[in-house]
Amino acid sequence: MNVKKVAVIGGGTMGNGIAHVFAMNGISVNLVETKQAFADRALDTISNNLDRMVKKEKISEDDKTETLGNISIYLDVGEGVEDVDLVVEAVPENFELKKKVWKQADDAAPEHAILASNTSSISITKLAALTSRPESFIGMHFFNPVPVMKMVEVVRGLETIDSVYQTVKETAEHLNKVPVPVNDSPGFVSNRVLMPMINEAIFTVGEGVATPEHVDEVMKLGMAHPMGPLRLADFIGLDVCLDILNVLYDGFKDPKYRPAPLLVKMVDAGKLGNKTGEGFYSYD
C-alpha cells in the first residue's frame, strides 16, 4: 500500500471518525481544522471513542496512546496537505465551501497525492474539475459512525484512473473496511436509495398518516430495519438530509426527489435532530 500519510480536512462528525480509523491503523494523520477549538473538540471526540474501545477490551491503553500520537493538528489547509500521500476532504455538503477547500488543497498537495472527497451526494466529476488533476480525484464515502461502519463507497469520477482506484481500494481494506465500487451519479448508490425512503417517511408524518414513532415502528418491526428512517434522519442531521435531497433533485430534475415540506420547515426552525437536541424526537 502506497499511503503512509493522509490529510483529513474537517474535524466534524465524519472527519474525526475518518482521522480515528486512519490513525488507529498506523497511518499518520494531519487533521486540518479552521480553529484550535474545533480541533480540540475533534481530538476529545476521538479520545472518548477510543476510551470506549478500551473499556470494551477491543484495544489496549497503549493502542489508544499510539493512535492519538499518529494525529497532528493543522489550522491551515496548505500546510496540512503539503507532505501527504492522500487528502480526504470531509467538510459539510456545500459546493462553494468544498470549492474553496479544493483550490487550496490542489495548490499545496504533492504531485503524487490522491485527492478524495467524503461527499455523500455531490458529483465527484464536478469536484474533480475544480482541481488540476481530475485523473487523481476520487470519492471515498465513509459512513457514520466511521469507526463502526464497515463500508466505504469508492466513487470513480469521469477521469479517475485505475491506479488511483486500486490504491484507494487497498487503503480502505487496510482500514478494515469493505470498499464498494460505484460510478459517479447524484447520491451514488447509498443516498440515492436511502434519502427517498427518509423523505417519504417525512411525507407520511406531514400528511398525518402516522406519528414519527409509529412510522419507525413499522419499518423496524415490519421491515427488520435496525433503526427507523426518522430516527436515522435525526442521527444524520435533517439539514444534511435536505442538502442531499436538493442535490438529487437538481441532478436528476425528477420530482420524486422533491424534499418534503415538513423537512424544509424543520430545518428552517433549526430542529436538525441529534445535533440540536430536537428533530422528530427530543434528545437530552
Side-chain angles (χ1 to χ4, degrees), residues 5 47 58-59 81-82 86 112 117 123 152 167 196 199 203 214 228 252 254 257 261 276 282:
K5 192 169 190 178
S47 181
K58 293 184 176 181
I59 62 172
V81 305
E82 65 183 10
L86 170 66
H112 75 277
S117 177
S123 167
V152 176
T167 297
N199 199 41
F203 268 114
H214 290 155
F252 289 111
D254 190 325
Y257 298 111
T276 60
S282 296

Side-chain angles (χ1 to χ4, degrees), residues 49-261:
N49 288 337
L50 291 168
D51 282 338
R52 279 192 282 272
M53 297 180 77
V54 171
K55 187 175 181 179
K56 293 178 180 178
E57 298 184 345
K58 293 184 176 181
I59 62 172
S60 67
E61 282 286 353
D62 287 344
D63 292 330
K64 175 191 171 182
T65 300
E66 185 176 343
T67 296
L68 292 174
N70 285 334
I71 302 173
S72 301
I73 296 299
Y74 287 83
L75 302 181
D76 179 82
V77 171
E79 293 178 2
V81 305
E82 65 183 10
D83 62 344
V84 303
D85 306 306
L86 170 66
V87 179
V88 180
E89 166 266 307
V91 303
E93 288 290 273
N94 178 290
F95 180 76
E96 291 303 318
L97 177 58
K98 290 182 186 292
K99 181 178 180 180
K100 179 180 177 182
V101 166
W102 279 120
K103 176 66 171 67
Q104 295 173 294
D106 182 40
D107 287 346
E111 192 172 321
H112 75 277
I114 292 173
L115 309 181
S117 177
N118 181 60
T119 180
S120 55
S121 59
I122 297 174
S123 167
I124 294 301
T125 301
K126 185 176 181 179
L127 291 174
L130 300 173
T131 74
S132 62
R133 46 183 126 176
E135 71 285 351
S136 297
F137 202 102
I138 197 165
M140 202 173 185
H141 180 206
F142 291 84
F143 290 76
N144 186 31
V146 181
V148 176
M149 301 297 280
K150 295 293 292 183
M151 193 185 80
V152 176
E153 237 179 349
V154 182
V155 188
R156 300 181 68 144
L158 182 64
E159 298 183 65
T160 307
I161 58 177
D162 290 343
S163 60
V164 166
Y165 167 77
Q166 189 62 33
T167 297
V168 169
K169 173 180 178 292
E170 292 172 5
T171 300
E173 290 169 342
H174 179 76
L175 302 178
N176 297 308
K177 303 297 184 186
V178 178
V180 178
V182 176
N183 289 323
D184 192 20
S185 179
F188 317 132
V189 170
S190 55
N191 282 314
R192 183 171 176 177
V193 174
L194 174 64
M195 285 301 156
M197 181 186 73
I198 287 176
N199 199 41
E200 199 62 33
I202 297 171
F203 268 114
T204 63
V205 173
E207 293 168 6
V209 177
T211 65
E213 292 83 359
H214 290 155
V215 171
D216 281 354
E217 193 170 15
V218 166
M219 297 307 291
K220 287 190 293 182
L221 301 182
M223 312 301 172
H225 289 200
M227 183 186 295
L230 299 172
R231 177 67 189 90
L232 179 57
D234 277 355
F235 181 68
I236 294 169
L238 300 188
D239 53 337
V240 176
C241 293
L242 180 58
D243 286 343
I244 295 171
L245 282 164
N246 281 327
V247 168
L248 291 167
Y249 187 59
D250 292 342
F252 289 111
K253 303 295 188 292
D254 190 325
K256 72 180 179 182
Y257 298 111
R258 176 178 65 92

Side-chain angles (χ1 to χ4, degrees), residues 8-25:
V8 177
I9 304 175
T13 300
M14 295 305 297
N16 70 61
I18 294 168
H20 175 145
V21 296
F22 273 105
M24 195 169 68
N25 286 281

